[in-house]
């Protein structure tokens, strides 16, 4: 029986994964082989929840980055990108208070 190696992913590559990466991508993020990964899934010992999509197995990216301890840098990266992004489109600016309406009651 041959062991299929998975290419390990860097933290940057993990953060670039789609919202629902494949099980194989998760194995790369965790730096484990396919055999070990699938064995852990079968034994219900995989460290994060595995979601079946038909015949494919997926994980949630947020669970993966939280398990790897990458959530704080990811949040800083998102905040930094949001703070520097300006497309010139009109809209609500972060410093501008928005109008708040009080709830209305339906007439009887």
């Amino acid at each position: 029986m041959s062991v299929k190696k998975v290419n390990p992913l860097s933290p940057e590559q993990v953060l670039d994964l789609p919202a629902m990466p494949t099980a194989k991508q998760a194995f790369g993020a965790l730096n484990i082989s396919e055999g070990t990964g699938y064995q852990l899934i079968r034994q219900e010992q995989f460290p994060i929840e595995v979601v079946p999509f038909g015949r494919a197995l997926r994980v949630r990216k947020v669970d993966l980055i939280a398990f790897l301890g990458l959530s704080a840098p990811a949040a800083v990266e998102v905040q930094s990108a949001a703070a520097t992004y300006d497309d010139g489109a009109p809209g609500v600016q972060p410093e501008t208070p928005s109008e708040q309406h009080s709830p209305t009651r339906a007439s009887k």
Side-chain angles (χ1 to χ4, degrees), residues 16-100:
D16 287 340
L17 289 172
M20 295 291 290
T22 65
K24 288 181 184 181
Q25 289 171 316
F27 303 157
L30 298 171
N31 197 19
I32 59 175
S33 70
E34 282 187 40
T36 299
Y38 286 121
Q39 180 180 11
L40 290 170
I41 291 170
R42 280 191 304 276
Q43 295 173 346
E44 297 181 1
Q45 296 296 313
F46 200 69
I48 56 178
E49 183 181 1
V50 177
V51 181
F53 277 98
R55 295 176 59 187
L57 297 174
R58 303 262 179 176
V59 298
R60 291 178 187 87
K61 177 181 173 181
V62 294
D63 294 343
L64 184 60
I65 61 175
F67 179 79
L68 294 170
L70 298 175
S71 56
V76 169
E77 187 176 303
V78 169
Q79 287 175 344
S80 173
T84 60
Y85 181 72
D86 179 17
D87 64 357
V92 177
Q93 300 300 317
E95 311 82 42
T96 308
S98 62
E99 255 184 71
Q100 294 185 358

